[in-house]
Amino acid sequence: MADAVAGAVATAARAGDGSDTGEESGAVDAADGTGPDVHEVAAAGLAPGQLTALAAPSLFGGGCVVVVSAAQDAGKDVAAEIVRLAGSAAPDVYLIV
């Protein structure tokens, strides 16, 4: 399910930045440089600061999609980081929790 959501968000992100080619190709587009970077992570496996690093703007543009699964398992510091990023992420960063 996370793959489908990330793919839909990546497609929407491309459409929003004018780079949509009309082809629906899902979350794997990041590999060829035409779409946002897509990161899928489990909340329990994140150390404080890692989520912020994943959501940082790319030097090459294109934005990013960060899918955080099992958010209920996040530690206190990571949970605070999720809340902070959800309220203040860059316009081309999509956070899915």
Side-chain angles (χ1 to χ4, degrees), residues 3-80:
D3 289 338
V5 171
V9 172
T11 299
R14 281 192 309 280
D17 70 6
S19 64
D20 190 10
T21 61
E23 298 177 18
E24 185 173 333
S25 50
V28 295
D29 286 346
D32 68 8
T34 61
D37 293 332
V38 179
H39 307 282
E40 294 184 46
V41 295
L46 288 171
Q50 276 186 305
L51 186 58
T52 299
L54 289 174
S58 169
L59 294 175
F60 305 107
C64 71
V65 177
V66 182
V67 181
V68 181
S69 61
Q72 73 276 5
D73 297 332
K76 182 179 176 181
D77 292 336
V78 172

